[in-house]
Amino acid sequence: MLVALTLSGCGSFGQTDTPAPRPATTTGPPPGASQAPGPPLATATVGAATPVPGGAVDRTDPAAVAADCFTRWQSFDARTDAGPAAGVERARNCLTVDFAATLGAAGSTGADADGQAWQDLRAAGVHSQISVLATTPLGGIDTTATGRVVLQLNVRRQTVTGDQPAVVAVSTPALTLLRQPDGTWLVAGADLASVAGDAPGR
């Protein structure tokens, strides 16, 4: 279901006395954890998810759920994660049962190829961290009152291969969330190829 990502590197500013960093040999996320690059937003900074007492994420806030869930799902560390499905397992409690099953089914397709790709990432020491910079209702229309909301995320991915310089990409995926009977929200779908122009920064 998900396609491999080709990350675009960001160059260094104001440094003329050091050679340009070599491009990473592997610039994509593991199989089953990818999204297309979006427009760079150099002024954006990471916004914290809305906390509740005890440091947990407020599960009644769809924006907080989207940011936390996407981070856990899409970040990976091939050096320590058990396999390409580790991100889905980390995010399972913030996904609807149907969506989690869909991701599991997608992960089982081409298992041999995915397994080899993961071993290649592990051998290269690849790890990739997601930061959700901001969230906004898609199209600027807040539909949370209906119990279904689509949020556009401004996402920065930083990927490191071995001891090489980090490769950074920015994307604008969209997540669909559904409100549950207890008032909490779960992610029910994702458009990882969404590139909707400049996403909001902070």
Side-chain angles (χ1 to χ4, degrees), residues 2-192:
L2 303 178
V3 297
L5 161 72
T6 302
L7 293 174
S8 58
C10 292
S12 301
F13 305 114
Q15 294 184 358
T16 57
D17 56 346
T18 57
R22 293 177 298 146
T25 55
T26 304
T27 58
S34 60
Q35 82 268 1
L41 299 171
T43 60
T45 57
V46 179
T50 303
V52 295
V57 172
D58 183 357
R59 298 294 167 187
T60 65
D61 178 355
V65 171
D68 174 67
C69 196
F70 194 79
T71 300
R72 287 192 280 144
W73 171 26
Q74 291 287 305
S75 299
F76 73 91
D77 190 335
R79 303 167 301 177
T80 57
D81 285 350
V88 175
E89 292 303 317
R90 278 191 293 271
R92 184 173 292 277
N93 70 342
C94 59
L95 307 172
T96 63
V97 173
D98 288 346
F99 186 45
T102 299
L103 294 175
S108 65
T109 304
D112 291 342
D114 282 357
Q116 182 58 55
W118 182 259
Q119 292 306 317
D120 291 344
L121 290 172
R122 174 168 289 172
V126 180
H127 47 106
S128 187
Q129 180 62 43
I130 287 291
S131 298
V132 176
L133 309 176
T135 62
T136 187
L138 190 65
I141 303 172
D142 186 353
T143 61
T144 53
T146 68
R148 179 184 184 275
V149 64
V150 181
L151 297 176
Q152 180 186 331
L153 278 59
N154 175 8
V155 174
R156 179 181 294 147
R157 178 185 287 277
Q158 180 170 293
T159 302
V160 177
T161 301
D163 59 357
Q164 298 185 39
V167 176
V168 178
V170 176
S171 64
T172 56
L175 299 187
T176 299
L177 294 93
L178 299 178
R179 186 168 54 223
Q180 305 304 297
D182 63 356
T184 62
W185 292 80
L186 295 176
V187 176
D191 178 3
L192 303 185

